[in-house]
Amino acid sequence: MIYSEKVMEHFANPRNVGEIENADGVGEVGNAKCGDIMKMYLKIDGGIITDVKFKTFGCGAAVATSSMATELIKGKPVEDALKLTNKAVVEALDGLPTVKLHCSVLAEQAIKAALTDYYKRQGIDPEPIVGKVPDREASCGI
Ligand code: FES
C-alpha cells in the first residue's frame, strides 16, 4: 500500500491531538467497517472555530485524515466546517489508497457530530443545519 508523503507526514506528526476542556461541542463516532473510534472537540467563539482537537483509537489513515481535517477547519467559520467533506480532506492529503478511503469518513463524521452537540447545547435543532449524523454503528460511509 502506497501512502502519499503528506499522509505519512500527518501520521508521524499529527496536528491538534488532545482534548479541549470546556469545549463548545464534542462528537464521537465509530467506523462500522473496522470498529475504530474518533472523538472531536471544538471551541467556537462568535461563529468561528477558534480551536479543535481530536483523539482516536484509529489506524494511521484515520490519524492523518483527522489531523488534516482539523487544520482545514481551525480558525474558520462554522459554515466552512459544515461543508467539509471527506473527499476534500483526502484531496488535501494527495489521496489515500482505495482500501483506506473509509477511514477518512471518521473525521468528517466526528466534526459533524461535534457541531450537532454545539447546536444542541444552544437549544438549536441541529438536524436542519448539520443533517443526520449516523450513529456509531452506522457511520461507515461506504
Ligand atoms: Fe479503521 Fe482506518 S482501518 S479507521
Side-chain angles (χ1 to χ4, degrees):
M1 200 174 334
I2 310 281
Y3 287 112
S4 73
E5 264 176 44
K6 275 193 194 164
V7 173
M8 294 306 287
E9 206 275 311
H10 274 266
F11 173 52
N13 243 322
R15 326 298 198 263
N16 306 311
V17 172
E19 45 188 289
I20 299 174
E21 268 184 58
N22 307 318
D24 297 305
V26 181
E28 184 173 319
V29 293
N31 191 317
K33 197 166 168 140
C34 60
D36 289 350
I37 291 169
M38 175 77 57
K39 199 160 180 182
M40 194 69 72
Y41 301 80
L42 298 175
K43 194 84 199 150
I44 298 171
D45 193 5
I48 304 289
I49 296 171
T50 55
D51 201 9
V52 47
K53 294 244 188 303
F54 78 94
K55 281 206 311 199
T56 185
F57 294 100
C59 70
V63 171
T65 44
S66 302
S67 169
M68 179 54 91
T70 57
E71 286 286 277
L72 290 173
I73 65 168
K74 200 171 179 175
K76 299 275 168 55
V78 170
E79 289 74 30
D80 286 15
L82 285 166
K83 278 187 259 166
L84 185 76
T85 61
N86 57 307
K87 190 162 172 277
V89 177
V90 171
E91 273 166 17
L93 285 168
D94 294 335
L96 268 180
T98 315
V99 293
K100 301 303 278 181
L101 275 179
H102 72 274
C103 312
S104 65
V105 175
L106 265 186
E108 183 197 318
Q109 295 294 351
I111 289 170
K112 292 216 164 103
L115 287 170
T116 293
D117 182 46
Y118 165 69
Y119 286 117
K120 271 191 191 156
R121 289 184 194 204
Q122 297 178 76
I124 299 169
D125 178 11
E127 215 175 294
I129 306 167
V130 186
K132 243 193 174 352
V133 178
D135 59 27
R136 274 157 146 278
E137 285 70 42
S139 62
C140 187
I142 47 175

